[in-house]
Amino acid sequence: MSSSSPAEQAPINWVTTLMFVFTTLPLFTVLPWYLWTHDVSGWAWFWGVALLYANGIGITAGYHRLWAHRSYKAHPLLKLVYALFGGMAIQNSILVWASMHRIHHQHVDHVDKDPYSAKRGLWYSHIGWMLRDYPSAELDFENARDLKADKIVMWQHRHYLALILVMNIGIPVLLGLAYGDLWGFVLIAGFLRLVVNHHVTFFINSLAHFWGRQPYTTRNTARDNDVLAFLTYGEGYHNYHHLFQYDYRNGIRWWHYDPTKWLIAACSWVGLTTELKRVPDFKIQRAMLQAQFERAREKLAQKANANTGRVAELQHLLEQEWQHFSQTVAEWSRLQGEKLEAAKQQFSERVHERMHEAQNQWEHSEMRQKLLAMEQALEEALEMQRQRVKLLRVQMAYA
Ligand SMILES: [Zn+2]
Ligand SMILES: [Zn+2]
């Protein structure tokens, strides 16, 4: 956390340091002069933004949600596009990136184990962790055996340097020649696009662990933040993501800005993505309520010294709500067991009694409908309870 920590004495990583210097310096020297003295074509800006999104989504939909978290499956063609354009972002190969990101989730906030721990400060979690060879960033790929078996991942890993050079020099130069604005394209679609993409992605490790709300869990530093979601192609719902990392969505409400989720869902309509994983709504409601209870209890603990009748009354009401909550959760668990049994039974009856298959199917689909309705009722009960607990918390503030 402090600059005197022994880990801060790690040797400088000259490759990444020089890469950042080389890519950032032109933005403060050549670019302002060029913009002042030349007319840059609108196409250079257009392609700058288009490539920014191609790189950003390659990282979020590919590197992050597909490879690091396996939250869905993708067609090899789509994987190839992710590998090329995500690779172009110069954030290391999929293998290294995803392996390190899995460690981040496993040891989130741990000062020595999380490679970009927010507990070591904003600068460290944003970029500092890459500028030196810290022991916390060492990898052995033990947690990435599945990725080592992925041909596209290993192909990209082996040819990573060639790939980033070809993509980052080749595409802006070819486009620049085609539009007759070589240097405009090199500066905007080349350097500016790359550096902007670097920092907005790094915001997820830095700002998204410092700034925003924590509706789902307070057990780690991750936050939900709409401004960051807009800047990071939908990755700003980081509090949700740290609790439910296997969900292909980060923004779960329709009004949440999550273009990465929209792309993954749209690709599923044409078969480019399959097996999209979603956390059941009940579990999400349960997490939100649990976080509410924790906050309410904290607030009550602060008032414990007051020892007034009002505080005792609120405490009693909160405990009643907790009982109610525990019952709803137990009921839901029971329902899940019933659902599983019903599905199993249907399967075995299908195999053994083909004659009654149609009838069984009908019966069980009735059954399924009933169970689904019960499940929905429980979900609604939790949502209503969340409003009640919220109200209790407001009352506590004035108790
Ligand atoms: Zn994180
Ligand atoms: Zn993640």
Side-chain angles (χ1 to χ4, degrees):
M1 197 163 196
S2 73
S3 56
S4 58
S5 160
E8 308 282 333
Q9 308 308 320
I12 290 177
N13 183 328
W14 285 107
V15 176
T16 38
T17 303
L18 287 175
M19 186 272 292
F20 284 127
V21 170
F22 173 74
T23 52
T24 312
L25 212 55
L27 301 188
F28 296 98
T29 52
V30 186
L31 183 67
W33 163 79
Y34 192 85
L35 289 177
W36 189 255
T37 54
H38 294 72
D39 280 330
V40 174
S41 67
W43 285 112
W45 290 103
F46 170 82
W47 279 103
V49 173
L51 287 172
L52 177 75
Y53 258 75
N55 295 165
I57 299 261
I59 294 286
T60 60
Y63 275 50
H64 187 212
R65 301 191 200 182
L66 175 71
W67 279 300
H69 295 301
R70 307 165 60 92
S71 65
Y72 65 101
K73 290 208 164 86
H75 189 277
L77 204 68
L78 186 61
K79 284 164 87 171
L80 186 66
V81 173
Y82 288 157
L84 291 174
F85 285 92
M88 187 181 175
I90 317 192
Q91 293 184 23
N92 224 323
S93 68
I94 301 158
L95 183 65
V96 172
W97 197 106
S99 173
M100 204 174 273
H101 189 73
R102 286 175 181 180
I103 298 175
H104 167 63
H105 275 268
Q106 193 187 351
H107 298 292
V108 62
D109 295 330
H110 193 290
V111 176
D112 296 314
K113 290 183 180 165
D114 178 354
Y116 23 88
S117 172
K119 295 279 185 197
R120 292 173 76 168
L122 200 58
W123 169 259
Y124 182 87
S125 57
H126 188 74
I127 195 169
W129 67 276
M130 286 176 275
L131 302 179
R132 290 175 184 269
D133 287 320
Y134 292 105
S136 49
E138 266 168 30
L139 292 170
D140 58 9
F141 303 126
E142 260 305 297
N143 65 354
R145 286 193 204 154
D146 56 318
L147 301 177
K148 281 165 99 176
D150 186 318
K151 281 188 186 131
I152 292 177
V153 170
M154 293 317 285
W155 167 80
Q156 197 234 31
H157 186 69
R158 275 193 294 274
H159 304 289
Y160 187 66
L161 184 64
L163 185 142
I164 58 174
L165 290 175
V166 168
M167 296 293 285
N168 280 284
I169 298 170
I171 292 182
V173 165
L174 282 179
L175 284 171
L177 290 173
Y179 284 96
D181 183 13
L182 177 63
W183 289 108
F185 269 79
V186 167
L187 286 170
I188 305 296
F191 285 98
L192 185 61
R193 177 266 315 160
L194 181 68
V195 174
V196 169
N197 185 62
H198 270 161
H199 290 284
V200 292
T201 312
F202 302 162
F203 280 161
I204 303 159
N205 299 333
S206 57
L207 284 178
H209 278 267
F210 286 87
W211 174 34
R213 51 190 193 275
Q214 296 184 293
Y216 306 100
T217 178
T218 47
R219 297 204 178 131
N220 60 61
T221 56
R223 318 268 159 155
D224 272 22
N225 183 314
D226 302 285
V227 178
L228 290 180
F230 178 73
L231 293 175
T232 57
Y233 328 96
E235 302 269 272
Y237 305 100
H238 207 54
N239 187 253
Y240 179 82
H241 175 63
H242 264 278
L243 192 60
F244 300 118
Q245 54 176 306
Y246 301 109
D247 198 320
Y248 80 95
R249 311 162 301 170
N250 274 16
I252 50 165
R253 308 286 170 216
W254 64 266
W255 66 86
H256 285 166
Y257 183 80
D258 189 352
T260 303
K261 168 188 77 177
W262 298 330
L263 176 91
I264 297 167
C267 284
S268 73
W269 304 335
V270 289
L272 281 173
T273 59
T274 51
E275 297 178 42
L276 281 57
K277 291 186 194 136
R278 291 164 75 111
V279 171
D281 283 345
F282 185 89
K283 285 192 177 177
I284 299 171
Q285 289 287 348
R286 186 177 66 188
M288 288 173 93
L289 244 169
Q290 234 152 6
Q292 288 259 24
F293 276 115
E294 274 166 34
R295 287 204 174 94
R297 285 196 178 125
E298 259 171 45
K299 198 157 261 171
L300 269 183
Q302 287 166 10
K303 305 258 174 183
N305 290 338
N307 213 9
T308 62
R310 181 73 182 131
V311 171
E313 188 193 332
L314 285 170
Q315 182 128 32
H316 177 68
L317 283 173
L318 190 69
E319 281 322 306
Q320 267 185 339
E321 291 290 356
W322 178 256
Q323 293 252 318
H324 183 70
F325 171 68
S326 307
Q327 277 165 9
T328 314
V329 170
E331 176 72 0
W332 189 77
S333 302
R334 193 186 58 75
L335 210 59
Q336 298 313 301
E338 238 174 78
K339 236 164 99 179
L340 196 72
E341 271 311 307
K344 263 195 220 159
Q345 204 183 343
Q346 186 177 16
F347 181 74
S348 68
E349 278 169 13
R350 262 190 194 177
V351 174
H352 298 300
E353 292 175 42
R354 285 186 163 269
M355 273 170 67
H356 302 296
E357 195 178 358
Q359 198 189 346
N360 278 335
Q361 260 181 353
W362 177 82
E363 271 177 18
H364 284 115
S365 76
E366 270 289 272
M367 173 75 164
R368 248 206 319 273
Q369 290 308 321
K370 209 176 93 192
L371 289 174
L372 278 176
M374 282 165 79
E375 206 176 78
Q376 207 174 350
L378 288 177
E379 254 167 57
E380 278 162 18
L382 275 199
E383 204 168 338
M384 272 161 64
Q385 203 193 3
R386 193 152 58 83
Q387 300 306 328
R388 289 203 303 274
V389 176
K390 215 183 202 168
L391 218 81
L392 270 180
R393 275 179 52 211
V394 174
Q395 288 172 287
M396 280 168 199
Y398 298 103

